[in-house]
Amino acid sequence: MVLSGLLAFFYVKQSIQPLEDLKDEIDGITVQNLKQRITIPKNNNEIWQIADKFNAMLERLELAFEQRKNFVQHASHELRTPLANMLLQTESALNKDLTAPDYKKILVSLKEDQTNLIELTNSLLALSRYETSTTVIDWTTIRIDEVLYHTVEYINQILPNAVISIDFETVPDNEEDFLVQGNESLIKSAIQNLIKNAIQYSDNNKVKIILSHSEDSVTLKFENFGQQLSAEEESKLFIPFFRGQNSSSKKGFGLGLAIVQRIMVVHNGRIYYEPIGDNINRFTTVFPNEKSLRELK
């Protein structure tokens, strides 16, 4: 019995040794060395699966930390630039005796920097808010076509040179075909961002919006004519502060599409980009309709 007990003890100890080794390796991984990976023992199938899943989790964590680090760096840079410019202009005005037109010119420039700073701050706050949201409590029933028409009317007021057309890819059979559950202000914000983005990066200030519906979803397609994105740019399109080669001469911070994507996630929807034909860009948003959400509940 003593001999059997000793053999059982050594057998169990030998069996759990890979788990002990795995525990020691996990204990050695901290936020400072997220690039370190667990050694995968090929001779133990169960431990191999655990180590493999843990390494996959580390990959996701490392990517998340890297994106967060880049976000903070870009945000700091974008905030520092207008602030430094405003300080430089203020010091210049204080150290010189300028004429009234010169002072007015500096004030106009300061106002522009302040406006950009406010827009950037609001975008950062919005992105931060939606980043931690998984659902919206104050959802109501919304007709997407009505929200779209109201948003286009607003855009036409602030951008009178823009040409926005709306086409129906599928004709609704009844009013419920375009009904969705969501927050109207957020959906308006998403549509506004997509329209402004399409206008800003078009070659002719024209945007075509195509509205369609299916049995379980409502789809909006935003098309413009302009330089298309490369495959590499497309993969980074929804990363905050990313801007493609076609944005070198355009104003902006690279936050609009990131905000739109987060709004779509909150509404259980999705957004994706695709180049169509020659120099036609299309952003497609898909919302689950009210009927499909009721069935899920």
Side-chain angles (χ1 to χ4, degrees), residues 149-286:
Y149 277 112
H150 291 159
T151 306
V152 169
E153 184 179 351
Y154 168 74
I155 296 294
N156 283 329
Q157 292 176 0
I158 62 175
L159 299 173
N161 294 327
V163 179
I164 307 172
S165 63
I166 300 176
D167 292 337
F168 286 83
E169 189 172 70
T170 56
V171 179
D173 295 327
N174 55 67
E175 292 184 354
E176 292 188 358
D177 289 337
F178 287 140
L179 294 182
V180 301
Q181 285 285 322
N183 181 286
E184 186 171 345
S185 63
L186 292 185
I187 293 177
K188 279 184 178 179
S189 177
I191 294 174
Q192 283 180 25
N193 272 299
L194 288 169
I195 294 176
K196 289 179 181 179
N197 182 78
I199 294 171
Q200 185 173 10
Y201 295 101
S202 71
D203 292 342
N204 52 14
N205 279 346
K206 292 182 179 180
V207 182
K208 181 179 180 181
I209 306 173
I210 304 171
L211 184 62
S212 64
H213 73 281
S214 65
E215 186 177 348
D216 59 358
S217 64
V218 179
T219 301
L220 292 173
K221 299 174 183 176
F222 300 81
E223 296 181 356
N224 73 337
F225 182 84
Q227 182 180 342
Q228 294 178 332
L229 300 176
S230 65
E232 181 182 359
E233 290 174 328
E234 186 178 343
S235 66
K236 301 177 181 177
L237 195 55
F238 300 104
I239 297 177
F241 292 107
F242 171 76
R243 306 191 73 199
Q245 293 183 355
N246 61 349
S247 64
S248 57
S249 60
K250 310 288 186 180
K251 290 184 178 181
F253 308 107
L255 291 174
L257 291 177
I259 293 174
V260 172
Q261 185 193 44
R262 190 57 208 165
I263 292 174
M264 295 305 299
V265 170
V266 169
H267 286 83
N268 300 308
R270 56 193 177 95
I271 177 174
Y272 57 91
Y273 164 84
E274 54 185 337
I276 305 295
D278 295 329
N279 291 329
I280 295 178
N281 299 280
R282 174 188 288 174
F283 282 91
T284 302
T285 59
V286 182

Side-chain angles (χ1 to χ4, degrees), residues 58-114:
L58 286 176
E59 293 281 354
R60 295 192 296 270
L61 283 174
E62 183 185 358
L63 178 62
F65 272 87
E66 191 65 28
Q67 289 179 349
R68 183 71 62 178
K69 177 182 176 183
N70 291 336
F71 177 82
V72 172
Q73 290 176 345
H74 284 300
S76 300
H77 173 74
E78 293 290 349
L79 287 168
R80 184 171 59 246
T81 300
L83 288 172
N85 190 36
M86 290 165 62
L87 178 61
L88 182 64
Q89 292 184 81
T90 303
E91 288 178 342
S92 177
L94 290 173
N95 293 330
K96 296 179 182 179
D97 291 328
L98 302 176
T99 62
D102 290 333
Y103 278 119
K104 184 176 181 179
K105 185 178 180 180
I106 289 177
L107 288 174
V108 169
S109 179
L110 287 173
K111 180 184 177 181
E112 182 178 351
D113 287 332
Q114 290 166 358

